[in-house]
Structure formats: structure tokens, C-alpha cells
Amino acid sequence: MKKNSLITFTALIVLSFFSCKENETITSVEVTEPEYEGAELSLEFDQKIDSLIALMTLEEKVGMLHGNTLFTTAAVERLGIPKLQIADGPLGIREELEINSWTPLGLDDDFATYYPAGAGLSATWNTDLAYAFGNGVGEEARARNKDILLSPAINIIRTPLGGRTYEYFTEDPFLNKKMTVPFVKGIQKNNVAACVKHYAANNQETNRNIVDVQIDERTLREIYLPAYKAAVTEANAYSLMGAYNKFRGDYLCENDYMLNTVLRDEWDFKGIIVSDWAAVHSTVKSLKNGLDIEMGTPKPFDEFYLAQPLIDSAKTGKISDTEIDKHVKRILRLMYNLKMMEGQTNRVKGSISTEAHFKDAYNIAAESVVLLKNEQNLLPLQTNNIKSIAVIGDNATKKNSLGGFGAGVKTKREVTPLEGLQNRFPESVKINYAQGYLERYSKTFETQFGDVTVNKPETIDELDPKLLEEAVEAAKNSDVAVLFVGSNRDYESEASDRKDLELPFGQEALIEAVLAVNPNTVVVMIAGAPFDINEIKEQASTLVWSWFNGSEGGNALADVLLGNVNPSGRLPWTMPKKLEDSPAHATNSFPGNETLTYDEGILVGYRWFDTKNIEPLYPFGYGLSYTTFEFSNLKTDKPSYTENDMIQVSFSIKNTGNMDGKEVAQLYITDSESSVEKAAQELKGFKKVMVKSGSTVNVTILLPAKELAYYDVSKKDWVVEPGAYKLKIGKSSRDIVAETTVSIE
């Protein structure tokens, strides 16, 4: 999997055991840049490509520039040019659909591994798992003969109401890029092109097809583009997807500044731009301004903007043959690099739904679970002291591989939380299941233009009296109760944002009723985005956050609850006490109508909360463990540096508890002397470290001084200002345990 088996994706580990105290060991961990396999898009085939293009008719060339079916382009069989086969893939490889609609074909050979959603992956804070995820879906894409995988989805989480928050990674640009790069490399090592989406500034579902997003240049560069830039310049992504929305007046699939000036001229992108489905609005403008392939379903394929209208435009001289050839060449270059062309050999064959892939899905899920509260030490559950357990809630049996408007996965294996507990509990423990609440929606709800909730009915929040009674009785007659509540992929969905942070389906009343009869209750939230859990946090002694967590999600969650796995997930976004505390809502700049200005600027997520001194319900990076950790000995290798230097930040982590566990050390920087506005602190490094009980790990994080830069709009360049910078090590953005100062000369 890796170029150098001695260098892990995050750390070079050197073991040196000596007697510091009885039974204590010291491990040194130096965080280095990842060494994942990945290949640049080679230009070695350009001469062959030029010869091929010279033989092609106009109609053959144009057929390669638009969808010929829902997920393929046209082949040129007489020249040995195959069709491009595309698949959705944020959660795994989507099932096969009809060629011109979203109707499943109902095949029996398109089952795939369901991987945890993006928010769960980012909650692991483990880039190795991002690589494993990418590699797994890449292998499965090849097993299904796919060439382009529409994944990963990396838009910044700007609002907690976002319908695709569950699918995206994080609110932080640094964490975002560090998870994106290995994910992309993992996909592409399998001769599959990652199509990184949705480029760019596509941070809400409301009015996504028409909204004109206005972002100042510094905010664009510092918050919304870093992960895309890293995908191109570090991971060598072969393709990007143009988003639905406008940016500064132009749709993003015909945006010269974003597709040409930034992407190709500045970042030297050599790959292809694929439109989101039905996101194209012009023929000549789209092609000239950077789009390569138009996909969609709203009309016959030969009527697409880059289909017959393009042929007509070429014949009337509105666009040149040279311009068309440029885009065809990009596509052929991609095909040669993927070993698709006639005569090429040794293309990866792939594999699908293997035990190795299910194990990867399990590992991601197990490291994603966040322990929010454990005041009475109910967790981990001690099965030798438990004779009966009440498992309550529709989410205990809800499956999320399919559902909602977005891409799902048809899988043969999705272990639910109830099944996970049944798999893990000994037969001596009686499990009393009660559904508790119904997932119900109004059929009469209608929305108007500009409403936050689009095409989604209102939930029915009244509890069914019989189900409530059954839940209360189960809790009353059990030693322990575990409540599975939260959301699902029907409620959190592409094409609509939530209207508020309220828990749906009357769940708050259910939680209150269960807690009233059994204080030994563990509340498990299963959701992809923040909810208002203020009252739950106050009432419940034990609170866990899980996600739409893949094929093995139930087993992984059960292992965390039972202590077979020590929880190590950390929140990848900030959970506000109230919606109005979040920056997009505090500035009244969500959802907008036809125009939307990001008035919070660079203060997105925890940057806003920390800079404005607003207390969150749970901060970015937060998560507890069944053990305890102490940090000490924070220092740097030198007191001062130049902007081209590498800053070595070292410290020690000791596991002072009774269980082995993983801690996520988070490195934040503060520049209080800056000549421009900056956030109170910014994440610039992290390391997930396994520390055995009673042991100490010495960690060194390597911080490039260039990471201290801000984007200077007047210079159109990144600037590291000289002066003093605070380096802070913390367990979350609000739990800083040590800090030191360095100067940049």
C-alpha cells in the first residue's frame, strides 16, 4: 500500500524502551508528510493523442464531451477509444441505473461495500483511514469497470443546517486538505480517476442551482480552496466536478476565473472538469471557460449544450476546431493514464465487497465514534454486571446505505446498532428492544422559492402513545438502557437544507421519558450534522455521537459501547448551543436568495466561536476517552525561523488511565501581532497517537513555517509576516493544554 513500509502516513515511529518509572515505556513519534502512492497525470502519450485526434470527425470529438447515457460518454470504436464510465461514490460505489434515468436496474452483481459517510471519516482524524477508504472504493470501482469516481465531496461545512454536512468532511480547511490528499491518492492508485467535488463555494443546498455566491478573495483562498488546491498540487487529482451555483456572477461550469485562471494557470491542473448533473448553462462559454464534459439527465442527450448545439456552433464558426481538440486531448490523456486505451495492459482489476473492505469500513467506524459525556462511567458497559438491557429507538434498526436524494450504496451487509449489540453481548444478557418513535413525514408540506427546506416534507413530531409506553416499560425493566436517536439519510439529504436544529420525530420527549424511569441510560446520537441537544446534554449522564457509519457501523459502535474499542473520535465541526451562534447565521448570511455574501469572511466554524468568545455546546476537535491523557514538555527545536524553515514542535503524551487508547494532539497557531485580521487560532497540525496505559509517547509534529501565511490580496500571494507566533497544543479548540512562542525572522 505504501512506498516505504517504514514510514506510515503520519508518523515515523522509533521505539526506545528504558526505565523511567517501573512499568513505564517511552515511544517517540515524529510526524512527517505522508508517503502515499500516487501518480501525476503523464503527458507521455500526447504524440499518440494528437495523431488520434487528427483522424476523428467533429461528431466523434463532440460525442466525447457530453453524456451519452446517464453515466457514460460516447466511444469511438473504430479508433479504439472506449466510453468513459462514471460512478457515484461518496459512500461507496452506487448501484447500476437505467441509461437515461435514476431508476435502479435491479441487478444482482452490483452490491458494494458501504463506507462511513464523510463526516464520520473526518471524525477519525486519521489520514491512514482516509487512504484506506479511497483505496477501497477505487478497487471496487475497478471491479465494476468504472473509470471516474465522483468522490470525495470536500466542500467546507459552513452551516450546521447543510443537507450534505453528513457527506462532507469538516469546517476546517487544514483538516479538510489533510484528509482529502490520501483519499484521492487511494482512489487513483487503482487506475480510477477521482472526481473531487463540488468545485467550489457550493456550501448549501438551498437555491444551489441559481445562487450567486460572493466571497472575498482572501476568504476564498484561505477557507474554501485549500483542499481543492491540495487535491490538485499534492494528490494530482485527475478530475474535478464543477458545482451548480454561480460564483461572482458566472456559473461554476463556465467560470473562467475558477476553471482557467486558478485551476489551470495557477495550479497547473492537467486533468478534466466534469459538470455536476445538469449544471451547464451554455455551449461556447462553457467550453472556452474550462469545462470538458457535460453530464446530466434533463433532456435527450443529443440536446445537451456540448452535444448537437456544439456541433452547430463549430460549423457556424462560433467555436474553433482547435478549442474542441484541446478538450478532447485532455480526455484522451486521462484515458491513457488510466490504461483504458486499446492495446494497454496491466490495468487494475479491482475487487468488491471483500472482507478486507468491510474491515476498512469497520476501522473507520470504530475510530469515528465520539464520546461526548460519561459522567457516571456507565461506559464501557460491563456485561458481567448486566442481566438485561433496553435498546430503544428507530435508529437502532434504521439502515442508511440508501435513502435521501443523494447517492447511496446497495450493499449486502449493513449491521445496525441493534444487530451489533446482539452480535457482541453474551447470551446471558437479555435485550429488550422497543422502537420508541416513528420516522414520519407530512405529505402535504409545500415549499416556496427561497425556503430553506426544499422538496422535503415536514416531520411529524408526535410520539405514538403505544410505542412510547413500550419504550418506557423496556427501560423500566432493564438494568441499562441505550437510546438510539438522532437523524437519518432521509432527513439529512442532498437538495435540501434543514430548517432548524431541532431533533425530529418527537425524540426529545422520548428521551426525557426514558431518562425519568432509568437514569442508567446511554444516549447515542446517530447523525451527520449538529443538532440542538442542549437539554439532552443536561439530562443525560452519558452521551455518544455516531454517524451514518457504513456496513460495519453497528459492530463498531457496539465495540465502543462495550469497551472493546476505546473511543477516539473527535468532532470535525463545532456544535453550537443555538443556531444563531454559528457564523453564517449570526451574520444573517444564510440562505440568501439569488445572491449570497459570506459576511463572516475567514471566521468559519471554530474560528468564529473562538475569536468572538462564543461558547459552543461542544467545540471543534472535542472527544473523550475511557482513559486519561496528560501533555507535557512542549518545546520547539529553535526559538526563531525563516519562512522556508520547518518548525519541529515536540511534546509528550502520557496515558494516566487504566486502558490503552488513542489521543488526538491538535496544534493551533495564534498570530496576535498580524497586520491583518486573523482568527484567534487556526489548526495547523494534528497527530493521532496510540498510548498504552501507563506509557508515555514523545511526539514531534513538523510544521512548515509557510503554514503560518495569510493570503495577501494586493500581492496575490501568500505572506508569512515576521514576528511572534504562539504554538498551542490542545485536545480540542477549547482545551489548550500547553503553548510556546516562536518568532519568524
Side-chain angles (χ1 to χ4, degrees), residues 390-518:
V391 176
I392 299 169
D394 189 69
N395 264 357
T397 59
K398 177 72 175 179
K399 295 189 175 184
N400 288 297
S401 56
L402 297 170
F405 187 77
V409 182
K410 186 170 81 173
T411 184
K412 288 184 176 179
R413 184 187 302 182
E414 182 179 355
V415 180
T416 66
L418 175 59
E419 291 169 340
L421 289 172
Q422 290 170 335
N423 291 340
R424 297 299 193 256
F425 266 108
E427 291 184 4
S428 59
V429 177
K430 182 183 179 185
I431 297 178
N432 301 312
Y433 172 67
Q435 185 177 358
Y437 67 91
L438 290 170
E439 178 193 350
R440 294 187 295 176
Y441 303 92
S442 165
K443 295 181 180 179
T444 60
F445 182 65
E446 295 180 0
T447 60
Q448 303 297 319
F449 172 80
D451 283 357
V452 177
T453 306
V454 182
N455 298 326
K456 181 162 61 180
E458 286 184 323
T459 62
I460 296 174
D461 291 328
E462 297 175 3
L463 289 173
D464 179 281
K466 184 171 184 244
L467 293 184
L468 176 60
E469 181 183 359
E470 290 173 354
V472 169
E473 285 302 307
K476 219 189 263 187
N477 296 312
S478 301
D479 297 329
V480 176
V482 183
L483 258 171
F484 292 97
V485 293
S487 183
N488 55 57
R489 285 195 56 241
D490 292 309
Y491 188 70
E492 293 183 58
S493 172
E494 180 183 350
S496 62
D497 297 315
R498 290 180 291 145
K499 64 179 180 177
D500 55 41
L501 293 179
E502 300 302 312
L503 273 177
F505 316 126
Q507 292 178 91
E508 281 216 42
L510 171 66
I511 296 167
E512 186 176 346
V514 170
L515 287 171
V517 298
N518 193 336

Side-chain angles (χ1 to χ4, degrees), residues 214-229:
Q214 305 293 316
I215 307 176
D216 70 88
E217 191 68 12
R218 185 179 165 212
T219 297
L220 176 70
R221 300 288 182 145
E222 293 189 15
I223 303 296
Y224 295 98
L225 290 189
Y228 291 104
K229 182 179 181 181

Side-chain angles (χ1 to χ4, degrees), residues 14-20 24-28 652 695-698:
V14 181
L15 299 178
S16 55
F17 300 101
F18 59 91
S19 179
C20 179
E24 182 177 352
T25 60
I26 306 293
T27 304
S28 295
S652 299
S695 296
T696 297
V697 172
N698 294 329

Side-chain angles (χ1 to χ4, degrees), residues 148-356:
I148 299 177
L149 186 63
L150 306 178
S151 182
I154 63 170
N155 295 94
I156 286 288
I157 296 169
R158 180 175 178 254
T159 166
L161 298 182
R164 300 183 84 164
T165 294
Y166 78 90
E167 184 180 343
Y168 297 151
F169 285 169
T170 175
E171 67 187 23
D172 179 71
F174 184 85
L175 178 60
N176 203 19
K177 72 180 182 180
K178 291 301 181 184
M179 299 301 284
T180 296
V181 168
F183 195 111
V184 170
K185 287 191 173 186
I187 291 174
Q188 294 189 167
K189 75 182 289 281
N190 295 285
N191 304 135
V192 176
C195 188
V196 184
K197 60 186 188 181
H198 312 81
Y199 183 76
N202 182 186
N203 306 102
Q204 64 185 55
E205 298 302 286
T206 306
N207 298 332
R208 68 177 183 177
N209 294 300
I210 62 164
V211 68
D212 185 1
V213 176
Q214 305 293 316
I215 307 176
D216 70 88
E217 191 68 12
R218 185 179 165 212
T219 297
L220 176 70
R221 300 288 182 145
E222 293 189 15
I223 303 296
Y224 295 98
L225 290 189
Y228 291 104
K229 182 179 181 181
V232 170
T233 62
E234 298 177 37
N236 301 304
Y238 287 177
S239 65
L240 271 69
M241 178 187 286
Y244 282 115
N245 53 295
K246 293 179 182 178
F247 178 73
R248 297 178 185 166
D250 284 326
Y251 284 104
L252 278 158
C253 287
E254 55 184 49
N255 195 298
D256 180 58
Y257 180 69
M258 294 295 283
L259 301 186
N260 288 328
T261 302
V262 175
L263 190 55
R264 295 198 184 274
D265 297 343
E266 292 185 28
W267 299 350
D268 197 29
F269 177 62
K270 295 291 195 298
I272 65 171
I273 299 294
V274 181
S275 79
D276 207 338
W277 267 234
V280 181
H281 298 268
S282 65
T283 299
V284 174
K285 185 177 181 180
S286 290
L287 208 63
K288 283 187 173 180
N289 287 354
L291 184 68
D292 296 301
I293 296 178
E294 176 188 7
M295 300 301 294
T297 51
K299 53 190 174 183
F301 295 109
D302 62 355
E303 294 180 13
F304 280 14
Y305 288 101
L306 298 191
Q308 188 61 44
L310 178 55
I311 294 173
D312 296 340
S313 296
K315 288 181 176 179
T316 57
K318 293 178 182 177
I319 195 163
S320 67
D321 290 342
T322 302
E323 181 67 41
I324 293 173
D325 290 352
K326 180 172 67 175
H327 299 275
V328 174
K329 185 171 184 175
R330 289 172 183 167
I331 296 167
L332 286 170
R333 186 183 288 149
L334 174 72
M335 288 180 166
Y336 270 106
N337 275 267
L338 296 178
K339 301 182 180 180
M340 292 175 58
M341 298 296 286
E342 191 174 86
Q344 288 186 297
T345 59
N346 300 321
R347 193 176 188 192
V348 172
K349 299 298 182 185
S351 58
I352 196 163
S353 292
T354 65
E355 287 305 315

Side-chain angles (χ1 to χ4, degrees), residues 456-664:
K456 181 162 61 180
E458 286 184 323
T459 62
I460 296 174
D461 291 328
E462 297 175 3
L463 289 173
D464 179 281
K466 184 171 184 244
L467 293 184
L468 176 60
E469 181 183 359
E470 290 173 354
V472 169
E473 285 302 307
K476 219 189 263 187
N477 296 312
S478 301
D479 297 329
V480 176
V482 183
L483 258 171
F484 292 97
V485 293
S487 183
N488 55 57
R489 285 195 56 241
D490 292 309
Y491 188 70
E492 293 183 58
S493 172
E494 180 183 350
S496 62
D497 297 315
R498 290 180 291 145
K499 64 179 180 177
D500 55 41
L501 293 179
E502 300 302 312
L503 273 177
F505 316 126
Q507 292 178 91
E508 281 216 42
L510 171 66
I511 296 167
E512 186 176 346
V514 170
L515 287 171
V517 298
N518 193 336
N520 294 327
T521 295
V522 178
V523 179
V524 180
M525 289 285 299
I526 296 177
F531 279 85
D532 180 356
I533 57 171
N534 284 274
E535 291 300 317
I536 299 169
K537 179 186 177 185
E538 292 302 314
Q539 295 172 10
S541 70
T542 314
L543 186 55
V544 174
W545 192 282
S546 189
W547 313 88
F548 307 143
N549 241 351
S551 286
E552 285 286 330
N555 285 333
L557 182 55
D559 281 337
V560 169
L561 295 177
L562 289 165
N564 301 326
V565 171
N566 195 342
S568 62
R570 303 292 183 265
L571 291 178
W573 35 247
T574 304
M575 193 183 303
K577 286 189 172 181
K578 56 182 185 295
L579 183 61
E580 295 76 21
D581 289 343
S582 291
H585 303 271
T587 56
N588 294 312
S589 53
F590 173 87
N593 288 302
E594 293 189 25
T595 302
L596 172 62
T597 303
Y598 287 14
D599 291 333
E600 72 279 6
I602 61 170
L603 300 182
V604 176
Y606 69 90
R607 287 166 163 79
W608 173 271
F609 286 83
D610 293 349
T611 304
K612 302 293 184 181
N613 293 314
I614 300 169
E615 185 181 357
L617 187 62
Y618 286 108
F620 173 78
Y622 177 86
L624 302 176
S625 170
Y626 294 149
T627 190
T628 52
F629 301 98
E630 286 183 1
F631 287 66
S632 61
N633 302 323
L634 175 63
K635 59 186 178 182
T636 58
D637 60 319
K638 297 191 298 186
S640 63
Y641 303 85
T642 70
E643 66 176 271
N644 295 314
D645 284 343
M646 186 72 72
I647 304 169
Q648 295 185 30
V649 185
S650 61
F651 51 93
S652 299
I653 306 176
K654 182 176 181 180
N655 185 336
T656 56
N658 297 320
M659 183 182 289
D660 297 348
K662 295 181 179 180
E663 175 63 296
V664 179

